[in-house]
Amino acid sequence: MATLVVFLVVFLVFGGVLTLFAIPLAEQGTQLATRLPDMIADARGGRGPVGTLLERTNALEFARDNEERIRQFATGLGTPALNLLRSAVTGIVATISIFVLSYLAVLQGPKVIDGTLALFPPHRADRIHRVGRECTKTITGHISGNLLISVICGVLTYIVLKIFGVPFAELIAVFVAIADLIPLVGATLGAVVAGIAALIHSLPAAITVIIFFIVYQQLENHLLQPVIFSRTVKLNPLTVLVALLLATELAGILGALLAIPVTGVIQVVLRDVWNHRGGEPDAGSVVAAENTHQEPLAD
């Protein structure tokens, strides 16, 4: 019952935060949907910021010359509408399933762990439990650090876009924050969308946004990520940077996502092996050794 109450409170708080953000995002989405036909009409006529941009880049002339191909392509885009609806329903079901599985994992997890550890001798079971706890802290630290970096990126993006009056700043900032969850390349993906939106608004805004993302991405990759992850995952900043670069080169985006937690887990395991094989034993091993070699007291 206590676990269920805690989960329900967290769920309600999380839902309240989402609602707080969802209302302005829904309003901006509605405004975008309302203005979209007029923006398309202005673009086709060479009017407005979009039309002017297309006219300068000769994209409007290309669109007129290939209007039939574009129409066929747009017609084909209508087919995935059902797939999008199906994905939304699947996402809702997956969210509920994750909530139920998380609740059961928290409720029954200790019993499963205790039952598994009971298969090993007490000393080895304590060691496995200690290493597993440290690995869990490493993964949790990576998740919290990644979320913190994404929030920082989203907030800074919103401030820059709002200063220059770029429309739909909230929507763009949320997209940038979500994209920034991908290490190394996430900020670049968000920069493309923010840069296009700023370019449609005005050229000075676009230049400023591009400069901002160039500077921010360098700061994030070489300062924020190493410093934050060194505190949340307990990794050396240089180790974080090298692990990200190597994993991205070897496995792409998936490698970038798994680089830091995997490196943290490897560090925990290697430290434990060093303590028990080649280095100094931990405090538990010392106490156990002393108890083993202690002579019995005489009567």
Side-chain angles (χ1 to χ4, degrees):
M1 182 59 66
T3 305
L4 179 61
V5 170
V6 172
F7 261 77
L8 289 178
V9 171
V10 172
F11 184 77
L12 291 176
V13 172
F14 186 69
V17 173
L18 286 181
T19 303
L20 184 64
F21 282 97
I23 293 177
L25 291 179
E27 292 177 352
Q28 290 211 347
T30 303
Q31 294 176 6
L32 177 61
T34 303
R35 292 174 52 184
L36 193 58
D38 295 335
M39 293 173 63
I40 295 175
D42 291 341
R44 296 184 62 181
R47 301 183 301 272
V50 179
T52 303
L53 177 63
L54 295 178
E55 192 72 40
R56 289 179 179 176
T57 57
N58 295 325
L60 188 59
E61 182 179 353
F62 174 82
R64 290 169 179 169
D65 295 339
N66 299 273
E67 185 174 356
E68 184 63 28
R69 294 180 181 178
I70 296 175
R71 183 181 294 109
Q72 292 177 358
F73 176 75
T75 302
L77 291 178
T79 305
L82 286 178
N83 294 334
L84 183 62
L85 180 61
R86 190 181 299 113
S87 299
V89 175
T90 303
I92 295 175
V93 174
T95 302
I96 297 175
S97 301
I98 291 172
F99 178 81
V100 175
L101 288 175
S102 301
Y103 171 73
L104 292 177
V106 172
L107 193 63
Q108 302 295 330
K111 298 180 181 178
V112 175
I113 293 174
D114 292 340
T116 303
L117 293 178
L119 301 175
F120 299 91
H123 178 65
R124 179 166 296 181
D126 292 340
R127 179 183 175 187
I128 295 174
H129 185 267
R130 183 177 63 257
V131 172
R133 185 172 62 249
E134 292 298 324
C135 292
T136 302
K137 290 181 180 179
T138 297
I139 297 174
T140 305
H142 170 259
I143 295 174
S144 59
N146 208 3
L147 289 175
L148 177 59
I149 293 173
S150 298
V151 170
I152 293 174
C153 182
V155 171
L156 293 178
T157 302
Y158 172 76
I159 293 174
V160 172
L161 296 179
K162 206 65 176 178
I163 289 176
F164 285 88
V166 178
F168 312 112
E170 287 85 354
L171 285 174
I172 298 172
V174 170
F175 173 81
V176 170
I178 294 175
D180 195 62
L181 291 172
I182 305 174
L184 293 181
V185 298
T188 303
L189 297 176
V192 172
V193 175
I196 293 175
L199 184 60
I200 293 175
H201 178 66
S202 68
L203 185 59
I207 295 176
T208 305
V209 169
I210 292 174
I211 294 175
F212 160 74
F213 273 102
I214 292 175
V215 175
Y216 173 78
Q217 187 168 11
Q218 297 302 314
L219 291 175
E220 179 183 294
N221 292 343
H222 300 91
L223 181 63
L224 278 181
Q225 284 190 356
V227 171
I228 291 178
F229 286 142
S230 67
R231 295 178 179 272
T232 58
V233 190
K234 305 300 181 184
L235 286 174
N236 183 278
L238 180 60
T239 304
V240 172
L241 184 59
V242 172
L244 283 172
L245 293 175
L246 288 178
T248 304
E249 184 68 24
L250 294 175
I253 294 179
L254 180 61
L257 289 172
L258 299 178
I260 296 175
V262 169
T263 304
V265 170
I266 292 175
Q267 176 181 257
V268 171
V269 174
L270 291 179
R271 185 189 298 122
D272 179 77
V273 173
W274 170 260
N275 289 336
H276 287 79
R277 296 289 177 87
E280 298 178 356
D282 57 5
S285 300
V286 174
V287 173
E290 291 178 352
N291 292 335
T292 302
H293 293 87
Q294 185 178 6
E295 296 182 358
L297 296 175
D299 293 337

